Amino acid sequence: MKYFDPHIHMSSRTTDDYINMYNSGIRAVIEPAFWLGQPRTHAESFDDYFQSITGWEPFRASQFGIRHFCAICLNSKEANNEEMAEKVMEMLPRYLEKDNVVAVGEIGYDDMTDLEHRYFKQQLELAKEMQMPVIIHTPHRDKKNGVKATIDLINDVGIDQDLVIIDHNTEETLPLVLETDCWAGHTIYPRSKMDSDRMAHLVKEYGTKKIIVNSSADWGVSNPLAVPYTADVMRKEGISEEDIHKVMWLNPIELYSKSGAFTAEELEEEIEFDQSVLFEGNSVLRGQSPEVRKNS
Amino acid sequence: MNLCKNLESIARKYSEAAPRNNTFWSSFDTLDDLSLNEFMTLSAAAPRRLGRKTVEFTEEEQNILQGIHPTLTTQTPGNLGRVLLAAKVQSPECVEEMIIRGGDDEQAAVVIALNLRDDAAVYKDKVVHACRTNSTIVHGAVSQDNPYPAKYFDDQAFKQLVIKTIFMGLDFDKITNLESRFNGELGQSLTDFFDERKAAGRWLPDSVLKFMKNKGLLK
């Protein structure tokens, strides 16, 4: 079965991860823009980061047979640096038009400050104007209130809820999201917040409509194979292949193809990749044995 | 400028079906009034506004595109739009920004478009810098079937281009006017590269060996 991990920070991951992900069935990923574990100190650092996730990273992923898309934004933590935030906001429209960009994100609340609110709102308005999907991060602390405040802001801005995914849900927040027309994202963490067993139970209880699963794997302890792993758990729990396919492939495609960056038909076709093209050079392979896969 | 006009009419024709093509062409018609940021936004947006899928060009159109650069015959209307933007914009600042900070396909478009510009020579250092990439899309656009490097690169930069083309597994035979830029230093670099590969139990592509043999570089 083919899988789509619609939230994973691949620029923090290794080529081994790409190989394992491909071998586990992952064929497409979305890398939302986020913070790097420590605050940036120059707006221009965002610029180069955006360049990287719209340029080098999709090329690197393609060498391993995986389509790489991304989301662009000013993240909530760094929205608290007003001087820098203003400069980053000016950069966004240009990057949101890039070829592999499928959404504004991940935006949202972190500490729920006034500045976070201001830039969260402005970016929702930008997404509304550009008719782009939006990935909304929900806070790690005080999550339920954060989700309520997020839904209030979505209503206030008036963006089409079918373009919005509210991410990192738990048993407490999912019912709130399902009362809206937004999509509901779930991050499978190795040890906290949501795991594969609980995810399987949520699908059994609430069905598959607008339900999306991701790994959010990054530079921290995380599992880039969380999507295929959770699919296996769902199988063992008796969930049908059709339902697994919908949650792990069709749903993210339905949401993010609204960006116009790809179509469902395009994603059904495998990427032709030939690492031997780069075998001789200073490439992703660094002199290792290449893998070749061509469509027949 | 006839090439530009022909390119524009092809891009206009094949973007007709794209739903938002008007928003591209209305900005294109006032190209030199755009700010740097507006220009780069338009370039980024070109595929979504003109078309992201490859199209079937007529034989005559293929000949026109071939005359600009062979790879244009397999490009999308969006990327043709990018070539056109880079060829037509007056501001050198916009061209430089696209060379250095465009995405891979934008960089590929602009290094092809330079051959249509009267001020092509002034961008030499920027193009040399753009070659410091591991992306075969960008390096390939400079090194493959592109007359720009042989015409404008100095000896050192041209030598790096040739060696890196081999290093990245790109097609040595597609380096335009290699023969006219060959000199002793380049020959020495090829010989050193051959020796280094041989010591590691590796080999150079046949096309390189054939070239070296013709130049008397292989014992």
Side-chain angles (χ1 to χ4, degrees), chain B residues 55-73:
Chain B
V55 293
E56 293 269 331
F57 297 111
T58 66
E59 202 175 325
E60 188 189 349
E61 289 161 350
Q62 285 195 29
N63 288 337
I64 292 167
L65 295 172
Q66 187 91 23
I68 301 171
H69 193 273
T71 59
L72 292 190
T73 57

Side-chain angles (χ1 to χ4, degrees), chain A residues 108-173:
Chain A
Y109 291 119
D110 186 50
D111 288 345
M112 299 185 70
T113 64
D114 289 346
L115 281 172
E116 287 176 18
H117 178 80
R118 184 206 295 174
Y119 294 113
F120 184 6
K121 187 176 183 197
Q122 284 183 16
Q123 291 181 93
L124 278 175
E125 286 164 348
L126 182 63
K128 180 184 174 188
E129 183 191 323
M130 294 183 73
Q131 285 293 294
M132 292 280 279
V134 189
I135 302 170
I136 300 180
H137 164 95
T138 51
H140 299 293
R141 304 168 298 278
D142 199 14
K143 186 179 277 286
K144 197 166 178 180
N145 281 326
V147 169
K148 284 179 182 166
T150 295
I151 292 170
D152 287 345
L153 186 58
I154 291 165
N155 287 330
D156 183 26
V157 169
I159 185 172
D160 178 0
Q161 294 188 345
D162 196 31
L163 284 171
V164 178
I165 176 166
I166 300 176
D167 209 352
H168 315 314
N169 280 291
T170 62
E171 287 85 349
E172 289 76 37
T173 61

Side-chain angles (χ1 to χ4, degrees), chain A residues 47 98-99 101 281-282, chain B residues 48-49 82 101 106 134 167:
Chain A
D47 214 353
K98 295 267 188 182
D99 296 356
V101 179
N282 182 16
Chain B
R48 287 186 213 211
R49 303 203 185 173
R82 286 169 166 169
R101 302 183 58 256
E106 290 172 278
N134 276 358
F167 201 60

Side-chain angles (χ1 to χ4, degrees), chain A residues 117-272:
Chain A
H117 178 80
R118 184 206 295 174
Y119 294 113
F120 184 6
K121 187 176 183 197
Q122 284 183 16
Q123 291 181 93
L124 278 175
E125 286 164 348
L126 182 63
K128 180 184 174 188
E129 183 191 323
M130 294 183 73
Q131 285 293 294
M132 292 280 279
V134 189
I135 302 170
I136 300 180
H137 164 95
T138 51
H140 299 293
R141 304 168 298 278
D142 199 14
K143 186 179 277 286
K144 197 166 178 180
N145 281 326
V147 169
K148 284 179 182 166
T150 295
I151 292 170
D152 287 345
L153 186 58
I154 291 165
N155 287 330
D156 183 26
V157 169
I159 185 172
D160 178 0
Q161 294 188 345
D162 196 31
L163 284 171
V164 178
I165 176 166
I166 300 176
D167 209 352
H168 315 314
N169 280 291
T170 62
E171 287 85 349
E172 289 76 37
T173 61
L174 179 58
L176 298 174
V177 176
L178 290 180
E179 283 174 14
T180 71
D181 197 28
C182 298
W183 296 76
H186 303 80
T187 298
I188 309 302
Y189 296 93
R191 280 193 284 275
S192 64
K193 282 181 271 193
M194 176 57 62
D195 63 27
S196 299
D197 292 319
R198 286 161 62 197
M199 188 66 236
H201 288 122
L202 284 179
V203 170
K204 278 183 167 179
E205 187 173 350
Y206 293 100
T208 59
K209 191 180 172 197
K210 295 217 161 184
I211 299 287
I212 285 179
V213 176
N214 62 65
S215 72
S216 293
D218 56 18
W219 29 252
V221 176
S222 44
N223 178 10
L225 303 180
V227 168
Y229 178 77
T230 303
D232 282 344
V233 170
M234 287 164 77
R235 270 184 202 102
K236 284 176 193 149
E237 289 288 329
I239 295 170
S240 72
E241 290 297 314
E242 189 184 348
D243 282 351
I244 296 170
H245 183 55
K246 183 166 166 54
V247 171
M248 307 298 199
W249 183 253
L250 298 179
N251 280 354
I253 288 175
E254 185 181 340
L255 169 57
Y256 293 106
S257 63
K258 294 175 194 296
S259 67
F262 64 84
T263 63
E265 295 73 36
E266 285 165 359
L267 253 58
E268 289 303 331
E269 196 172 318
E270 295 266 329
I271 296 184
E272 284 192 6

Side-chain angles (χ1 to χ4, degrees), chain A residues 51-150:
Chain A
Q51 291 278 110
S52 172
I53 62 175
T54 57
W56 172 246
E57 201 56 41
F59 175 77
R60 196 168 79 104
S62 71
Q63 304 308 298
F64 298 91
I66 293 176
R67 285 188 170 84
H68 178 285
F69 301 101
C70 74
I72 293 287
C73 77
L74 168 68
N75 65 74
S76 53
K77 279 181 197 289
E78 287 165 298
N80 290 299
N81 179 339
E82 188 176 6
E83 188 186 342
M84 195 170 72
E86 283 299 318
K87 291 181 186 167
V88 176
M89 288 298 295
E90 281 178 29
M91 297 173 193
L92 296 183
R94 164 170 162 181
Y95 284 101
L96 288 169
E97 294 281 9
K98 295 267 188 182
D99 296 356
N100 73 325
V101 179
V102 295
V104 174
E106 50 183 309
I107 57 174
Y109 291 119
D110 186 50
D111 288 345
M112 299 185 70
T113 64
D114 289 346
L115 281 172
E116 287 176 18
H117 178 80
R118 184 206 295 174
Y119 294 113
F120 184 6
K121 187 176 183 197
Q122 284 183 16
Q123 291 181 93
L124 278 175
E125 286 164 348
L126 182 63
K128 180 184 174 188
E129 183 191 323
M130 294 183 73
Q131 285 293 294
M132 292 280 279
V134 189
I135 302 170
I136 300 180
H137 164 95
T138 51
H140 299 293
R141 304 168 298 278
D142 199 14
K143 186 179 277 286
K144 197 166 178 180
N145 281 326
V147 169
K148 284 179 182 166
T150 295

